[in-house]
Amino acid sequence: QVQLVESGGGLVQAGDSLRLSCAASGRTFSSYTMGWFRQAPGKEREFVARITGSGVIVRYYTDSVKGRFTISRDNAKNTVYLQMNSLKPEDTAVYYCAARRSGTTDYNYWGQGTQVTVSS
């Protein structure tokens, strides 16, 4: 079992930055690929970014955040981060952290979400 707790959301203005954190329980954090997703009001949840667990670290981003968001992880602290720069009103959403076993495709563990609101 993996428990995930997000933090760092808030209300900011367009152009500002925020860093989200996701703390994970468990002893095998490095064996999980970690992802960030978001869900805006009235919309389906969408993928934002993911990062592989160990070895050669590989990052993927959805096109709308490339160049603005950076996903990173600290396996010693069981934490994954999402640095969000140049925020736009369309980034407003609840952001979720998720985990999947490396080599699998389904995210089996999800956090409770943290609200990010970007005002224009």
Side-chain angles (χ1 to χ4, degrees):
Q1 276 286 53
V2 177
Q3 293 185 325
L4 304 172
V5 180
E6 302 98 333
S7 61
L11 171 63
V12 297
Q13 293 186 333
D16 286 350
S17 298
L18 274 178
R19 188 176 81 156
L20 305 183
S21 300
C22 173
S25 65
R27 304 177 184 176
T28 58
F29 180 68
S30 62
S31 67
Y32 289 86
T33 290
M34 300 300 296
W36 285 98
F37 293 76
R38 65 187 180 186
Q39 187 167 21
K43 295 186 177 182
E44 294 188 351
R45 186 167 58 194
E46 66 170 351
F47 166 79
V48 176
R50 69 174 182 266
I51 184 169
T52 55
S54 60
V56 178
I57 300 296
V58 181
R59 299 171 175 84
Y60 298 91
Y61 300 92
T62 193
D63 286 345
S64 62
V65 308
K66 285 180 182 176
R68 301 188 298 122
F69 290 12
T70 302
I71 188 170
S72 61
R73 65 190 296 159
D74 185 337
N75 287 340
K77 295 182 178 180
N78 280 18
T79 302
V80 62
Y81 305 96
L82 186 67
Q83 178 67 43
M84 306 185 294
N85 298 329
S86 302
L87 282 161
K88 304 176 181 180
E90 50 264 43
D91 295 318
T92 295
V94 177
Y95 283 72
Y96 298 90
C97 171
R100 71 183 198 202
R101 282 277 190 188
S102 295
T104 66
T105 58
D106 294 334
Y107 287 90
N108 300 114
Y109 306 101
W110 293 83
Q112 82 288 350
T114 185
Q115 176 71 48
V116 172
T117 303
V118 184
S119 64
S120 57

